[in-house]
Amino acid sequence: MDLYFSDHLTIITGETGAGKSILLGALGLILGKRADTSVLFNNSGKCVVEATFDISDYQLEAVFEEEDLDFALLTTIRREITASGNSRAFINDTPTNLATLKRIADRLISLHAQHQTLQLSNSDYQLYMLDSFANLLPQCEQFATDYQQYRRQCRRLEQLRSEQTQLLREADFIDFQLQELEAAHLNDEQEQEQLQQQLKQLTHVESIKKNMLDLADTLAANEMSVLSQLNRLLKNINSIRNLGDDYENIAKSLESILIELKEIAHEADSLEEAVEYNPQKTQQIQERLDMLQRLQSKHGVDSVADLKAVCADLTEKRHAIQHSGSEIQAIEKEITRCYAPLLQQARQLSALRQQQAVLLQAKIQERLAAMAMPDARVQIQVETLPEAELYESGLDVVSLLFAANKGSELIELRKVASGGELSRLMLAIQALLADSSELPTLIFDEIDTGISGEVAKKVSTVLREIAERHQLLCITHLPQIASAGNEHLLVYKEKHSDKTFTRVRRLPAEDRIVEIAQMLSGIPPGSSAIENAKELLGVS
């Protein structure tokens, strides 16, 4: 269905269970509430809710720019919920997340359901109510931002102090480990592999000398050696090498082999002489390897390179210990610098709240008197906390005390107010907040609970006043309030075969008389109810 609402007061009525909650559910989706597949009438399709707002007078260009959204004077918000439960949100056809959707929608529409009268007993809501009335919300938002920055610095200071305490506990151990690693002179990352190779040679000296000596002797030591035999063969080949290329090639190969074997024999001889049994050097190498392996085992690493990395890490920790005090001092100075203006802001907010609380309670009493509660009294107490208890809303705790009748003691709302009194108090507050806000659309869901008769008529007057400045949608069961609207929507059920459908119909003047008469006396309405309905509507 497509619904269009009056710029002023739209009344929505219907029997209990007719489906008014479906409309509120759709608006909830637009406001960014979570959704699931229960919203789907047809599980093979998807649910689409779309709302269009005229935002030409609400200076939201900066908000749209911050959220990287296309700004349009007629802005459309759309939610889509698939059969699988997935949800998508769009603002002017640009996909967006629920946080952004909620931020935008909260500037466009405010929904007040019956259960929200319970908010009146909440101290945070009472503080918000006072700040909103006093037009302090921008200052409060800036204060909250500054306070959060201050608290981040405080948390950082606590973290640094905790880290410093831990580091100081570890300082002696870190110094000991670092001195031990520095004393090891871990310069060459290949040292361990080289020492292991040297140790292998030193522990196999006898075998090395025997094999090198045997190699040198076999190659060159006597007339029957390999080199002697090859020289004789080369001499024979040289006698025929000029008889063809093949013989020349053989001769050259033999010459090359002789050169290589001479070098091998010389190297074997040198290696045999170079290798000596040296118990002292063997012990030194073994001790050095044992020390490296012990350090590796101690620090849980596998190489000299890893030990160097451990050493670098310990050096960094020692540096952090040495410089932790200076960083702490810098943050302490920054916290001190931030705290003074923050406290000044909080004091200014407190002074303004104290002033505005007196004015607000007088305004609320004035509104309540207009709704048949002439003896009702409201007291808004602003308690200023000690400076040490500064929090993100400042230094104030607001309490709303209420007395419905003359001579009654002012006490907390939750202890004294009936449903009807709470409804009128909430309406009085919302009317005042609407006067001081730029919110274009307000929705009241049964804000008239617990009232009737002449009181309901006076409440309808208040609703008309709000609707002069704001678009207002009001779901009601009271004929006195239903008759106050600029237009009237009826929610009803239709049955087709095995399914039930919720419908909404805009009531023309004649049908509206009948609907209000039925609200007065039931179906079918009597002639007196019809006349009463006409009187309420101001028609003849």
Side-chain angles (χ1 to χ4, degrees):
M1 64 175 65
D2 293 321
L3 292 175
Y4 299 86
F5 302 105
S6 165
D7 289 343
H8 299 289
L9 177 56
T10 298
I11 294 297
I12 302 171
T13 63
E15 295 293 334
T16 300
K20 298 186 294 297
S21 60
I22 296 176
L23 176 60
L24 291 178
L27 288 168
L29 292 176
I30 293 299
L31 287 168
K33 292 185 178 179
R34 300 269 174 197
D36 54 42
T37 54
S38 64
V39 303
L40 294 171
F41 180 71
N42 180 1
N43 286 328
S44 64
K46 65 180 177 180
C47 169
V48 179
V49 182
E50 186 174 279
T52 301
F53 298 86
D54 178 358
I55 63 171
S56 54
D57 295 329
Y58 298 102
Q59 293 81 46
L60 294 176
E61 292 91 336
V63 178
F64 275 69
E65 185 176 347
E66 286 176 18
E67 298 293 349
D68 196 22
L69 295 169
D70 294 330
F71 179 79
L73 296 181
L74 286 179
T75 282
T76 300
I77 296 177
R78 185 170 79 253
R79 289 288 298 279
E80 297 180 359
I81 296 89
T82 65
S84 62
N86 293 324
S87 169
R88 297 197 299 168
F90 302 85
I91 297 178
N92 292 332
D93 290 325
T94 299
T96 189
N97 57 43
L98 289 187
T100 299
L101 175 65
K102 190 174 187 306
R103 183 187 180 194
I104 299 293
D106 282 349
R107 303 287 291 270
L108 302 175
I109 191 168
S110 179
L111 174 60
H112 300 278
Q114 180 183 347
H115 67 85
Q116 288 178 299
T117 54
L118 298 175
Q119 284 183 318
L120 287 175
S121 301
N122 182 282
S123 180
D124 290 339
Y125 179 80
Q126 292 168 5
L127 179 60
Y128 165 80
M129 170 194 72
L130 177 58
D131 288 339
S132 180
F133 171 79
N135 291 317
L136 293 176
L137 293 182
Q139 291 172 249
C140 292
E141 185 176 346
Q142 182 60 53
F143 178 85
T145 300
D146 295 343
Y147 178 80
Q148 289 302 328
Q149 174 64 22
Y150 164 76
R151 284 302 305 154
R152 280 193 291 271
Q153 294 280 19
C154 291
R155 288 192 293 271
R156 176 61 180 156
L157 179 61
E158 291 172 6
Q159 179 186 356
L160 285 174
R161 284 174 173 169
S162 176
E163 290 175 356
Q164 185 188 49
T165 301
Q166 184 63 28
L167 286 172
L168 289 173
R169 289 196 194 103
E170 300 174 0
D172 291 343
F173 186 54
I174 289 172
D175 283 340
F176 170 75
Q177 289 180 308
L178 196 53
Q179 289 169 9
E180 188 178 40
L181 289 170
E182 288 172 344
H185 302 293
L186 304 169
N187 301 318
D188 185 358
E189 294 184 2
Q190 305 302 318
E191 179 190 12
Q192 191 169 19
E193 290 78 7
Q194 293 169 356
L195 289 175
Q196 288 171 341
Q197 185 62 35
Q198 289 181 38
L199 185 62
K200 286 180 183 178
Q201 292 178 0
L202 288 170
T203 54
H204 295 82
V205 168
E206 186 176 345
S207 177
I208 291 171
K209 292 181 74 68
K210 177 179 177 299
N211 284 285
M212 290 300 100
L213 184 61
D214 184 41
L215 178 59
D217 287 348
T218 303
L219 288 175
N222 53 61
E223 294 182 355
M224 297 302 295
S225 67
V226 172
L227 288 174
S228 297
Q229 296 293 326
L230 285 175
N231 278 318
R232 181 179 63 79
L233 293 173
L234 178 60
K235 183 178 180 180
N236 293 337
I237 294 298
N238 282 336
S239 65
I240 62 171
R241 67 189 297 169
N242 60 352
L243 299 180
D245 291 339
D246 292 339
Y247 310 120
E248 176 68 20
N249 291 335
I250 290 175
K252 288 181 178 180
S253 295
L254 283 172
E255 287 172 348
S256 177
I257 291 170
L258 275 167
I259 291 170
E260 290 186 16
L261 288 177
K262 284 178 182 178
E263 290 178 353
I264 291 173
H266 178 72
E267 186 175 359
D269 192 51
S270 298
L271 288 173
E272 187 275 332
E273 291 180 358
V275 177
E276 293 182 0
Y277 180 64
N278 189 335
Q280 184 178 1
K281 187 175 182 181
T282 301
Q283 183 178 357
Q284 289 174 347
I285 291 174
Q286 186 64 61
E287 289 174 353
R288 177 68 176 174
L289 285 172
D290 288 345
M291 184 266 292
L292 292 175
Q293 289 169 353
R294 177 177 57 78
L295 288 175
Q296 289 167 10
S297 176
K298 180 177 182 178
H299 294 283
V301 296
D302 301 316
S303 67
V304 173
D306 291 338
L307 284 175
K308 292 180 71 175
V310 170
C311 187
D313 182 59
L314 290 170
T315 301
E316 187 175 339
K317 285 184 177 180
R318 184 167 65 180
H319 179 79
I321 294 170
Q322 293 169 344
H323 292 83
S324 60
S326 59
E327 187 175 358
I328 287 173
Q329 289 175 358
I331 290 184
E332 285 174 340
K333 288 181 180 179
E334 179 64 16
I335 288 173
T336 301
R337 187 190 67 80
C338 291
Y339 182 74
L342 195 64
L343 188 60
Q344 182 63 25
Q345 289 182 62
R347 288 170 177 162
Q348 290 172 353
L349 282 173
S350 291
L352 291 170
R353 285 165 176 161
Q354 294 283 359
Q355 295 172 7
Q356 292 295 318
V358 177
L359 180 59
L360 177 57
Q361 67 188 31
K363 291 282 188 181
I364 293 174
Q365 289 178 180
E366 187 180 314
R367 288 282 183 174
L368 289 172
M371 290 185 284
M373 295 180 70
D375 297 322
R377 287 181 300 133
V378 173
Q379 182 177 341
I380 299 174
Q381 294 180 339
V382 182
E383 177 190 358
T384 301
L385 302 171
E387 293 178 1
E389 297 183 36
L390 184 72
Y391 72 114
E392 65 180 355
S393 293
L395 285 168
D396 303 310
V397 175
V398 173
S399 301
L400 180 61
L401 305 180
F402 180 73
N405 303 301
K406 192 171 185 178
S408 298
E409 182 183 356
L410 285 162
I411 54 179
E412 295 176 21
L413 283 175
R414 58 186 176 85
K415 296 180 180 179
V416 294
S418 68
E421 290 165 348
L422 277 176
S423 296
R424 278 179 280 175
L425 182 57
M426 174 61 91
L427 182 56
I429 290 170
Q430 289 303 321
L432 290 169
L433 297 188
D435 288 342
S436 60
S437 74
E438 297 179 348
L439 195 67
T441 300
L442 295 130
I443 300 171
F444 291 149
D445 177 24
E446 300 185 15
I447 195 72
D448 48 29
T449 298
I451 62 176
S452 60
E454 185 62 24
V455 173
K457 193 170 181 179
K458 291 185 177 182
V459 167
S460 70
T461 302
V462 174
L463 293 173
R464 280 198 195 97
E465 291 175 3
I466 297 174
E468 288 176 5
R469 298 176 301 280
H470 300 271
Q471 185 182 45
L472 177 58
L473 280 61
C474 185
I475 298 173
T476 183
H477 290 289
L478 293 181
Q480 295 91 336
I481 290 177
S483 63
N486 299 94
E487 65 179 18
H488 191 146
L489 300 179
L490 176 66
V491 181
Y492 62 100
K493 288 182 178 180
E494 275 187 359
K495 294 182 180 179
H496 294 284
S497 62
D498 59 344
K499 289 186 177 181
T500 302
F501 296 84
T502 289
R503 304 295 191 197
V504 178
R505 182 163 66 91
R506 191 179 311 277
L507 295 180
E510 291 184 3
D511 291 348
R512 192 175 181 192
I513 293 171
V514 174
E515 170 65 11
I516 291 175
Q518 289 176 352
M519 295 172 72
L520 285 164
S521 66
I523 302 174
S527 59
S528 60
I530 294 289
E531 291 304 315
N532 195 357
K534 289 180 179 180
E535 182 181 351
L536 287 173
L537 289 167
V539 297
S540 55

